[in-house]
Amino acid sequence: MSRLLIIGCGGVAGVAIHKCCQNSDVFTEICIASRTKSKCDAIKAKLENTTKTVITTAQVNADSKDELVALINSYKPDAVLNLALPYQDLTIMDACLETKTDYIDTANYEPEDTTDPEWKAVYEKRCKDLGFTAYFDYSWQWAYKEKFEKAGITALLGTGFDPGVTSVFTAYALKHYFDEIHYIDILDCNGGDHGYPFATNFNPEINLREVSANGSYWEDGKWIETKPMEIKRVYNFDGVGEKDMYLLHHEEIESLAKNIPNVKRIRFFMTFGQSYLTHMQCLENVGMLSTEPVMYEGREIVPIQFLKALLPDPASLGPRTKGKTNIGCIFTGVKDGKEKTIYIYNMCDHQECYKEVGSQAVSYTTGVPAMIGASLVLSGQWKKPGVYNVEEFDPDPYMEALNKFGLPWVVDENPVTVE
Amino acid sequence: MSRLLIIGCGGVAGVAIHKCCQNSDVFTEICIASRTKSKCDAIKAKLENTTKTVITTAQVNADSKDELVALINSYKPDAVLNLALPYQDLTIMDACLETKTDYIDTANYEPEDTTDPEWKAVYEKRCKDLGFTAYFDYSWQWAYKEKFEKAGITALLGTGFDPGVTSVFTAYALKHYFDEIHYIDILDCNGGDHGYPFATNFNPEINLREVSANGSYWEDGKWIETKPMEIKRVYNFDGVGEKDMYLLHHEEIESLAKNIPNVKRIRFFMTFGQSYLTHMQCLENVGMLSTEPVMYEGREIVPIQFLKALLPDPASLGPRTKGKTNIGCIFTGVKDGKEKTIYIYNMCDHQECYKEVGSQAVSYTTGVPAMIGASLVLSGQWKKPGVYNVEEFDPDPYMEALNKFGLPWVVDENPVTVE
């Protein structure tokens, strides 16, 4: 018997809402709130006759703490699941603090406008302090730990797939397969083909940042920074086949480095096709990826926003994307004095996801873990005052829920490792 | 003692005006007219103390026959040199007919909006009748022949470099080196490097059309159409080095096929770098080369126009472009019963052009021949009622003027041919 407020109504939220409705024993009531209430109403209309979960909807501006507090006070949820924009994490955390409500999210906070000189200065100092190009990092949210402890409420950060499931895989491996984990390689492969020469699954600004930012990995207690796309490997993924993958900075490296004792190295690799990279490069060369407005016919236009308007709507990719994602971690460590390596991964089929919830695997693999994280907080299994990443809790109920709710995983005890 | 009205004030016009001012014996007075009179005034201010040519300026809308007729009647020029947009050729020819004034241009007429259904139908019928994808063709202007004959005035079409000088090279080769020319390969190489990852010399719409249109060549009395960029060759150009070049349709093939007796094959090749082609392909894939407006933030925006605003201003390429152009023709034919091959070409250095007239070689190689064509009409050497292409007149004074005015040519009597 619990009541969840879900903020946000995009692709990931759509999946999470579907999944909450498949788990009505935990989610007896949900309220879907976003800036555009009609989107919430549309999902409600689609689902309400298929589930025991009672669905309500609300309009809210997630940039306004006051509006959020008013909504929480009126709906009185047991927890808030934040599936809005990463820019809004801190505002929503503030509202949760004020109303003493548990908080769950999937993506870490980042400042919205890092071109503003004041922000830029703060930002650059953070990067320097952290020792890597901190396009995203947990420090903003970790700083809330004491406040959440004092308020007696839980914040569960980053319960998507990566970060999220990959960190739960790590906790699970450490609990059941290793005495110590020394090497972690997180491999994120999207083998989906949407049939367009070029399209992006999410916001092109985020895709751009992935390929144009410096990479970094954790080794021997410090960050090693690489040039953008400097480290390339080829890996043969189960269910997908051979793909090029590149080392990127990724947020779970930061929390795993803190939470996994004795870890020597953590790397993150993501697959990109050559054609995708060529398109990104050409678009960047002509200025189409710029986030700085240019004057055009007497009006400011932000090139990357205009590009976004030209590209296929990410939502339209769902019905046409074929193939699978394969995301997981290769762990090398020691058990009973012997070195061993295992690979835990999930394969997810784009078309099956679409058939089930109307979204392809990229949203599905984030939305399902969001629901699972929320269910564990609501059920009290993952409830503890403070601010936590997923690897800090017992992984077993989460791993069980992954199998039950559409993201079954495999443990390969003899995997090919990454050089 | 003659008076020329120059319509247009872009890069090519700037060169032609500079060159008229170097040839004040012929061009005693010129009037520069364009939609934006301030541009004309700026060139006038730059040149008037360096030349005996008397320069005046005027504002005119070249889409309006009435405005053109009024300007011609007031300025009373001996000829009109049309360096405006190809869309405006027929309007300017109509104004010349009405005022009985000689007419000279560098680029053949094309309809402005071929997406309009009515135009489209006309256009498609023309393509079918002509037997090739007629993105540009002479038929619209050749249809004026009788009217110009009756009016007793001359229209000289296409006196740029290609078309223009390449056709004069052909007439010259036929006059002095051959009894019959059987094979003509026109080779247009731009070995310039502006140092940008991607930029276009002229209008990107025209550049796009060059690479996305079907190619075609003339063989055995008919057009052979190819897929876009289907035929690729490599050629080692004097002054430039080895370059990839691609077979394109080009307008002078049409007039040379008509005017050069017994010619068996005429082809046109243009060099393109792989990086340029990759950028064009990627931009086309994402829709940035589209000429169809899209709705963006409540307003129509034409993607290719917005791209144009992002790309470096073609005028800014001048000071930074290094290297040479090499444009010419390889002729194979028969003289005194023996087969022979010669190659006539011009090399033009971007930086030297810029130093001389403030424009790089792409504008220079078009603007100089425009001035030469106008000078031959004004001097009476190329004056004959009707509508003519440059190869229909005696090439000798033109060839002499090329040497004199900055486009010296070379005859290679033992060239490498193109497979």
Side-chain angles (χ1 to χ4, degrees), chain A residues 150-418:
Chain A
K150 278 189 186 152
I153 54 170
T154 304
L156 178 66
L157 305 184
T159 179
F161 205 105
D162 46 336
V165 175
T166 50
S167 298
V168 175
F169 284 170
T170 308
Y172 186 79
L174 189 56
K175 181 174 177 184
H176 298 288
Y177 290 85
F178 293 96
D179 298 322
E180 283 186 6
I181 291 176
H182 295 155
Y183 300 96
I184 305 174
D185 280 331
I186 305 162
L187 273 50
D188 181 332
C189 165
N190 183 356
D193 180 7
H194 47 57
Y196 288 113
F198 183 73
T200 59
N201 283 315
F202 278 131
N203 191 324
E205 282 181 71
I206 293 172
N207 290 57
L208 161 67
R209 214 165 48 183
E210 281 178 341
V211 301
S212 63
N214 283 337
S216 63
Y217 60 99
W218 180 262
E219 191 167 50
D220 296 331
K222 62 181 189 301
W223 291 99
I224 313 282
E225 201 156 42
T226 71
K227 294 201 194 79
M229 314 300 273
E230 184 185 340
I231 299 184
K232 177 185 170 181
R233 298 283 185 271
V234 178
Y235 199 83
N236 193 351
F237 290 91
D238 193 10
V240 173
E242 205 165 88
K243 286 276 172 188
D244 293 343
M245 62 183 192
Y246 296 83
L247 186 144
L248 306 182
H249 175 70
H250 221 247
E251 57 208 277
E252 66 262 55
I253 300 177
E254 195 187 7
S255 72
L256 291 173
K258 189 181 113 186
N259 292 321
I260 305 302
N262 306 311
V263 69
K264 292 180 180 166
R265 190 184 67 197
I266 311 171
R267 302 184 297 185
F268 179 94
F269 292 93
M270 187 176 273
T271 59
F272 292 101
Q274 191 49 56
S275 167
Y276 175 86
L277 296 176
T278 301
H279 279 80
M280 290 298 275
Q281 184 63 58
C282 289
L283 291 168
E284 188 169 24
N285 284 343
V286 302
M288 274 310 293
L289 300 185
S290 173
T291 55
E292 299 276 320
V294 299
M295 286 307 291
Y296 179 72
E297 291 181 352
R299 200 179 60 169
E300 285 195 342
I301 290 188
V302 176
I304 198 168
Q305 298 294 340
F306 180 66
L307 175 63
K308 210 191 299 189
L310 285 187
L311 292 177
D313 178 2
S316 76
L317 302 180
R320 40 186 297 150
T321 301
K322 291 173 187 171
K324 289 183 168 60
T325 59
N326 178 326
I327 320 176
C329 312
I330 301 174
F331 305 101
T332 298
V334 171
K335 177 75 172 179
D336 301 328
K338 270 195 232 162
E339 191 180 281
K340 63 183 286 191
T341 297
I342 69 166
Y343 185 9
I344 311 183
Y345 60 86
N346 161 260
M347 287 181 289
C348 191
D349 186 275
H350 286 290
Q351 299 219 288
E352 284 176 21
C353 294
Y354 192 77
K355 217 183 294 170
E356 183 194 331
V357 299
S359 294
Q360 36 101 306
V362 176
S363 297
Y364 192 90
T365 53
T366 307
V368 172
M371 177 281 286
I372 293 173
S375 75
L376 294 177
V377 172
L378 288 176
S379 70
Q381 290 167 283
W382 279 24
K383 201 164 158 55
K384 186 161 67 171
V387 174
Y388 298 97
N389 293 88
V390 292
E391 67 271 22
E392 298 180 75
F393 290 102
D394 177 14
D396 291 354
Y398 200 110
M399 293 293 276
E400 201 179 308
L402 287 170
N403 281 333
K404 184 171 170 190
F405 289 102
L407 295 175
W409 39 273
V410 175
V411 180
D412 176 354
E413 300 205 28
N414 188 27
V416 174
T417 56
V418 179

Side-chain angles (χ1 to χ4, degrees), chain A residues 87-194:
Chain A
Y87 314 131
Q88 299 164 327
D89 286 1
L90 299 189
T91 316
I92 299 173
M93 287 178 87
D94 287 336
C96 284
L97 272 174
E98 190 164 324
T99 56
K100 299 206 189 310
T101 312
D102 291 336
Y103 169 89
I104 300 117
D105 73 25
T106 63
N108 61 9
Y109 172 72
E110 49 186 277
E112 183 161 13
D113 181 7
T114 52
T115 58
D116 175 76
E118 201 175 320
W119 262 124
K120 220 173 162 157
V122 173
Y123 206 57
E124 278 165 9
K125 186 176 178 315
R126 294 186 78 80
C127 295
K128 216 181 144 203
D129 292 348
L130 290 162
F132 66 98
T133 308
Y135 280 104
F136 30 75
D137 73 270
Y138 278 114
S139 55
W140 310 89
Q141 292 181 276
W142 285 345
Y144 278 67
K145 190 170 185 70
E146 211 179 321
K147 286 193 234 171
F148 270 66
E149 281 168 359
K150 278 189 186 152
I153 54 170
T154 304
L156 178 66
L157 305 184
T159 179
F161 205 105
D162 46 336
V165 175
T166 50
S167 298
V168 175
F169 284 170
T170 308
Y172 186 79
L174 189 56
K175 181 174 177 184
H176 298 288
Y177 290 85
F178 293 96
D179 298 322
E180 283 186 6
I181 291 176
H182 295 155
Y183 300 96
I184 305 174
D185 280 331
I186 305 162
L187 273 50
D188 181 332
C189 165
N190 183 356
D193 180 7
H194 47 57

Side-chain angles (χ1 to χ4, degrees), chain B residues 68 109 133 145 281 345:
Chain B
L68 290 164
Y109 172 73
T133 308
K145 191 169 185 71
Q281 184 63 59
Y345 60 87

Side-chain angles (χ1 to χ4, degrees), chain B residues 331-351:
Chain B
F331 305 101
T332 297
V334 171
K335 176 74 173 178
D336 301 329
K338 269 196 232 161
E339 190 180 280
K340 63 182 287 191
T341 297
I342 69 166
Y343 184 10
I344 311 183
Y345 60 87
N346 161 261
M347 285 181 290
C348 190
D349 185 276
H350 287 290
Q351 298 220 290

